[in-house]
């Protein structure tokens, strides 16, 4: 057993240390008792009226120097009996804490899996040799060491209290591999809720890895989550709000979806209920709830998912954060940016009176300059963005060498099939389109073929990184109105689909960095935890949002913008596969004779030397006090 964290001293029989206070108390008692006087009758020539009987024992204890010598001797003997030893080797150990989203799962009413992991890590350090040194890692939002150098056990335990769960996945397998490749550690001890089988197909980890599963309660770990939310046109209604909920349960469960609107007051957002719907969720199967003719009139909205009160045995929702979803109406202006070698008038866009267009130069192609919310959409005409955009975009005639083109341009082509149900083809007869030249398109994973030709896809639309994107392999400009009605209808449909009012509340990896002009700070208005947090902006333009919830970006002139941030990952929300067993911590290997130096003999020898010196000193004092000896 180690005596002190970070000090390479240990004892074999720790119970023998209890003799130290006993020896200390006994020694004090002996010295106090030695000072008590005895009553004796002696002759006297003194005549006194009254003789007070007064004790001559000591009222206060003032130990002489020899007291401390005797105390040291007794302490050395006691330490020798306890088996004091000096640890030779200092082991370097990596401690990896899984702080991913799933570690928010509650094992009791007030304790999460992360709390349990930190408790076990502290217990492991307490039960390990004090000479060990540790490097502390966390998995999320990415693998990161919390210190640049090895720390003692005491310093490592103090850092454990600073770890919090993040809205991100863990990538435990990759983290263990990276740590193991450094070759700096005798052991890698991982505290996570994941099974070993989930990390590698054969269930094997590096030989020096210890993977204790966390102690779990026997309660049902049912978890409900909102897996997605979308807003847009629907065949049956002008606008439809679609909410998908999923129950990671062991049986069918009845749940409630509550939609709330937020109106802002001087004290912050005030949420009020708009509607409530009851749904049945089968284990692991998403259930869609559709709200027809939804009109976004409030500043912000919040969706809550919870077990219905009739499910008395299933009222335990393990993770709260994924049962909420925030979204806000799109606050972008109706201006559309244009990046093209042609002017607005040359493309006929000045004929469209319902929209405003602004010509942008090539230097404004940078993503960070186009995410300020100044434009509802961007048109890339005969060029492409440097990266896949996060904002609504129209790409017309991408270059042949771009990733969107599948081949060289072809002459006049024939349309083969199309998706007539899509909003882009509303009030349009596709065969009426006259395509003189076509660049066949390569369909990305997020894209849908809206118009296809015998030469290849001609028009693609979809949602990429939470933004609407349309790619046209044929020229749709200049806009000519009635002179070319079919192509004009298609152009207007595309611009309407890109710019129509939408809702933003997308799933993003947290932390998320956003840029705005003259941005001073961001306030977390509503969240499961840490509401009221303020984050300062960097260089008056960039701020990093570190938690899901409803955020307020503070701009110049008391202006502001609302941003909704949500997180969902089925692998993190589905905790049904976490094994509910109790396991012990990895056993600490007993120190062998090669790992420690016994100090028993040294303690006995030192005590004997002090005792000899003390005896010689006492003998010298005694000989000087013999009768007839002149002092």
């Amino acid at each position: 057993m180690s005596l002190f964290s970070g000090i390479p001293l240990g004892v074999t029989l720790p119970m023998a240390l209890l003799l130290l206070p006993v020896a200390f108390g006994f020694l004090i008692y002996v010295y106090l008792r030695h000072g008590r006087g005895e009553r004796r009758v002696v002759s006297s020539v003194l005549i006194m009226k009254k003789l007070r009987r007064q004790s001559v024992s000591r009222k206060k204890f003032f130990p002489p120097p020899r007291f401390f010598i005797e105390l040291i001797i007794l302490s050395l003997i006691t330490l020798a009996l306890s088996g004091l030893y000096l640890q030779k080797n200092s082991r370097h150990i990596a401690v990896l804490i899984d702080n991913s989203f799933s570690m928010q799962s509650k094992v009791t009413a007030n304790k999460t899996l992360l709390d349990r992991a930190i408790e076990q890590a502290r217990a492991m350090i307490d039960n390990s040799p004090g000479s060990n040194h540790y490097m502390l890692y966390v998995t999320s939002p990415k693998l990161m060491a919390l210190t640049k150098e090895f720390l003692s056990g005491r310093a490592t335990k103090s850092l454990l209290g600073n770890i919090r769960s993040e809205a991100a996945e863990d990538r435990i397998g990759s983290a263990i591999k990276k740590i193991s490749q450094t070759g700096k550690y005798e052991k890698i001890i991982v505290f996570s809720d994941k099974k070993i089988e989930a990390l590698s197909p054969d269930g094997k980890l590096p030989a020096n890895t210890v993977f204790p599963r966390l102690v779990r309660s026997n309660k049902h770990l049912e978890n409900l989550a909102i897996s997605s939310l979308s807003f847009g046109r629907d065949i049956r209604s002008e606008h439809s709000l679609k909410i998908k909920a999923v129950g990671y349960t062991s049986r069918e469960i009845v749940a409630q979806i509550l939609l709330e609107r937020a109106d802002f007051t001087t004290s912050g957002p005030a949420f009020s209920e708009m509607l409530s719907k009851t749904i049945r969720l089968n284990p692991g199967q998403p259930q869609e709830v559709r709200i027809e003719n939804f009109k976004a009139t409030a500043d912000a909205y919040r969706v809550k998912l919870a077990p219905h009160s009739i499910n008395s045995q299933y009222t335990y929702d393990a993770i709260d954060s994924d049962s909420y979803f925030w979204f806000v109406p799109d606050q972008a202006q109706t201006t559309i940016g244009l990046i093209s070698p042609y002017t607005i008038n040359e493309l006929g866009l000045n004929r469209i009176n319902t929209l405003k267009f602004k010509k942008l130069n090539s230097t404004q192609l940078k993503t960070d300059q186009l995410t300020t919310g100044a434009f509802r959409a961007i048109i890339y005409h005969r060029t492409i963005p440097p990266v896949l955009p996060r904002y609504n975009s129209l790409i017309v005639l991408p270059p042949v060498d771009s990733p969107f083109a599948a081949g060289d341009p072809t002459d006049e082509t024939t349309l083969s099939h199309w998706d007539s149900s899509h909003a882009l083809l509303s009030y349009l007869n596709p065969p009426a389109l006259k395509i003189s030249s076509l660049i066949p398109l390569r369909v990305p994973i997020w894209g849908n073929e809206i118009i296809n030709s015998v030469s290849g896809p001609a028009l693609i639309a979809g949602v990429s990184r939470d933004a609407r994107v349309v790619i046209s392999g044929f020229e749709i400009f200049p806009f000519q109105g009635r002179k070319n009605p079919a192509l004009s209808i298609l152009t207007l449909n595309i611009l309407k689909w890109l710019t129509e009012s939408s809702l933003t509340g997308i799933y993003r990896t947290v932390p998320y960095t956003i840029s705005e002009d003259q941005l001073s700070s961001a306030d977390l208005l509503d969240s499961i935890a840490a509401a009221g947090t303020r984050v300062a902006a960097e260089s008056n333009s960039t701020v990093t949002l570190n938690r899901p919830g409803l955020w307020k970006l503070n701009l110049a002139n008391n202006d502001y913008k609302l941003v909704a941030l949500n997180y969902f990952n089925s692998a993190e929300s589905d905790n049904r596969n976490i094994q509910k067993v109790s396991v012990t911590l990895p056993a600490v290997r007993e120190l062998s004779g090669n790992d420690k130096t016994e100090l028993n003999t040294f303690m006995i020898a030192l005590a004997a030397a002090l005792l000899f010196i003390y005896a010689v000193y006492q003998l010298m004092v005694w000989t000087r006090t013999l009768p007839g000896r002149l002092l």
Side-chain angles (χ1 to χ4, degrees):
M1 173 186 172
S2 177
L3 281 177
F4 306 102
S5 177
I7 300 178
L9 288 176
V11 291
T12 305
L13 301 174
M15 295 300 294
L17 295 177
L18 296 177
L19 294 175
L20 278 175
V22 174
F24 183 70
F26 175 74
L27 196 59
I28 293 177
Y29 172 77
V30 169
Y31 271 83
L32 288 174
R33 182 66 181 174
H34 181 70
R36 188 178 299 276
E38 295 181 2
R39 186 180 179 187
R40 292 186 179 182
V41 178
V42 297
S43 60
S44 175
V45 294
L46 298 176
I47 301 175
M48 292 174 280
K49 292 183 177 180
K50 186 176 182 181
L51 181 65
R52 289 184 178 181
R53 182 174 298 175
Q54 192 172 15
S55 173
V56 294
S57 62
R58 299 180 182 180
K59 294 183 178 180
K60 293 184 179 181
F61 179 58
F62 296 101
R66 67 174 182 273
F67 169 83
F68 297 101
I69 298 176
E70 294 168 358
L71 180 61
I72 293 174
I73 293 173
L74 285 176
S75 299
L76 291 173
I77 295 174
T78 304
L79 289 175
L81 293 175
S82 67
L84 185 69
Y85 60 83
L86 177 67
Q87 300 168 7
K88 288 183 180 179
N89 299 327
S90 175
R91 297 189 181 89
H92 289 171
I93 297 176
V95 178
L96 178 60
I97 303 293
D98 180 358
N99 65 326
S100 63
F101 186 79
S102 63
M103 296 295 283
Q104 297 181 26
S105 298
K106 292 175 287 190
V107 292
T108 64
N110 300 314
K111 187 170 292 186
T112 65
L113 277 174
L114 181 60
D115 296 331
R116 188 61 54 84
I118 291 174
E119 285 180 359
Q120 290 200 359
R122 285 174 173 160
M124 179 272 298
I125 293 173
D126 288 338
N127 294 327
S128 298
S131 62
N132 288 351
H133 286 79
Y134 304 88
M135 187 74 79
L136 184 60
Y137 291 89
V138 292
T139 62
S140 304
K142 62 180 180 180
L143 178 63
M144 179 174 58
L146 299 185
T147 177
K148 295 182 180 180
E149 57 186 13
F150 286 96
L151 298 179
S152 65
R154 178 180 300 176
T156 304
K157 287 195 298 181
S158 66
L159 279 180
L160 286 169
N162 299 330
I163 299 175
R164 73 176 189 187
S165 177
E166 301 288 349
E169 57 185 331
D170 50 64
R171 297 188 178 93
I172 282 285
S174 174
I176 295 175
K177 183 177 179 181
K178 290 180 180 179
I179 295 174
S180 178
Q181 287 175 345
T182 63
K184 298 190 299 184
Y185 307 105
E186 182 175 332
K187 278 186 180 181
I188 302 173
I189 303 182
V190 185
F191 295 92
S192 173
D193 60 344
K194 299 297 187 294
K195 287 185 177 181
I196 296 179
E197 295 79 6
L199 307 180
S200 58
D202 55 3
K204 294 182 180 180
L205 295 172
N208 63 339
T209 304
V210 180
F211 200 94
R213 293 191 180 99
L214 302 180
V215 177
R216 300 301 302 270
S217 66
N218 294 325
K219 290 185 177 181
H220 292 292
L221 288 175
E222 313 295 343
N223 188 42
L224 306 181
I226 298 175
S227 60
S228 69
L229 185 145
S230 59
F231 174 77
R233 288 182 176 273
D234 187 78
I235 297 176
R236 294 177 292 176
S237 63
E238 183 179 357
H239 293 96
S240 176
L241 183 65
K242 302 173 185 177
I243 305 168
K244 282 189 178 180
V246 60
Y248 298 111
T249 59
S250 58
R251 64 185 70 181
E252 182 187 77
I253 184 173
V254 180
Q256 277 187 319
I257 286 185
L258 181 66
L259 175 63
E260 300 173 309
R261 61 176 289 157
D263 296 294
F264 282 80
T265 63
T266 55
S267 59
F271 288 93
S272 58
E273 181 178 343
M274 291 181 62
L275 61 89
S276 176
K277 287 195 173 186
T278 301
I279 59 174
R280 290 185 176 273
L281 298 175
N282 292 318
Q285 298 181 9
Q287 176 69 34
E288 183 178 275
V289 177
R290 190 187 301 263
I291 301 175
E292 310 291 352
N293 298 315
F294 179 79
K295 295 182 179 180
T297 58
D299 296 321
Y301 296 87
R302 182 175 68 185
V303 179
K304 295 170 59 177
L305 176 66
H308 197 281
S309 57
I310 65 175
N311 300 282
S312 58
Q313 71 274 34
Y314 291 106
T315 56
Y316 190 68
D317 191 9
I319 305 176
D320 294 328
S321 298
D322 56 5
S323 301
Y324 285 75
F325 193 100
W326 293 267
F327 60 92
V328 299
D330 190 355
Q331 302 169 69
Q333 300 175 5
T334 56
T335 303
I336 297 178
L338 172 65
I339 300 175
S340 170
Y342 301 92
T343 65
I344 293 175
N345 291 343
E346 288 174 338
L347 297 181
L349 296 176
N350 58 315
R351 297 171 178 264
I352 304 176
N353 299 323
T354 57
L355 296 172
K356 294 180 180 180
F357 297 89
K358 181 179 179 180
K359 183 72 180 297
L360 304 175
N361 56 49
S362 58
T363 59
Q364 292 173 294
L365 275 170
K366 295 181 180 179
T367 304
D368 58 353
Q369 296 184 18
L370 296 179
T371 56
T372 61
F375 304 99
R376 183 67 62 85
I378 303 293
I379 297 176
Y380 295 92
H381 181 238
R382 304 201 177 198
T383 184
I384 61 172
V387 295
L388 202 59
R390 289 184 179 274
Y391 38 85
N392 295 349
S393 303
L394 168 61
I395 301 173
V396 181
L397 286 178
V400 177
D401 58 350
S402 72
F404 302 115
D408 295 329
T410 62
D411 294 333
E412 186 173 347
T413 185
T414 303
L415 302 185
S416 57
H417 56 275
W418 51 86
D419 183 4
S420 58
S421 64
H422 199 280
L424 296 186
L425 302 186
S426 299
Y427 311 107
L428 176 65
N429 181 24
L433 291 172
K434 296 179 180 180
I435 301 176
S436 59
S437 178
L438 172 70
I439 296 178
L441 301 176
R442 180 178 286 108
V443 182
I445 190 172
W446 48 263
N448 300 309
E449 297 180 16
I450 308 303
I451 297 178
N452 212 324
S453 70
V454 293
S455 303
L459 187 68
I460 295 172
V463 178
S464 167
R465 302 172 78 183
D466 306 296
R468 294 182 176 184
V469 180
V470 178
I471 305 176
S472 176
F474 56 92
E475 183 64 86
I476 64 173
F477 301 123
F479 180 79
Q480 297 178 325
R482 293 182 180 181
K483 291 183 180 181
N484 192 342
L487 194 59
S488 297
I489 291 175
L490 176 62
T491 303
L492 291 175
N493 285 343
I494 292 174
L495 296 178
K496 184 177 181 180
W497 188 71
L498 291 176
T499 60
E500 65 183 355
S501 178
S502 61
L503 302 179
T504 60
I506 56 182
Y507 291 107
R508 295 184 173 122
T509 300
V510 180
Y512 178 75
T513 300
I514 190 169
S515 298
E516 288 285 341
D517 290 335
Q518 297 182 322
L519 173 62
S520 61
S521 62
D523 294 325
L524 183 56
L525 300 179
D526 188 55
S527 178
I528 297 301
T533 300
R534 168 165 287 191
V535 179
E538 300 177 4
S539 303
N540 290 328
S541 62
T542 303
V543 68
T544 299
L545 310 181
N546 54 11
R547 285 185 179 274
L550 181 62
W551 289 83
K552 176 187 175 185
L553 305 183
N554 300 309
L555 307 175
N557 302 321
N558 294 323
D559 195 8
Y560 68 89
K561 180 179 179 181
L562 299 177
V563 174
L565 191 63
N566 301 281
Y567 178 83
F568 173 77
N569 186 321
S570 59
E572 296 294 324
S573 293
D574 187 359
N575 53 17
R576 294 174 298 174
N577 294 325
I578 300 175
Q579 189 166 340
K580 305 173 189 175
V581 296
S582 297
V583 298
T584 57
L585 287 169
V588 179
R589 183 170 64 88
E590 292 295 332
L591 293 177
S592 63
N594 296 327
D595 294 329
K596 60 184 179 180
T597 300
E598 301 287 352
L599 300 179
N600 302 4
T601 305
F602 176 75
M603 294 289 108
I604 293 295
L606 185 58
L610 288 177
L611 184 60
F612 175 76
I613 295 173
Y614 178 65
V616 171
Y617 171 76
Q618 290 289 68
L619 180 61
M620 293 174 61
V621 172
W622 178 71
T623 55
R624 289 185 179 186
T625 57
L626 289 175
R629 177 93 175 172
L630 182 63
L631 296 177

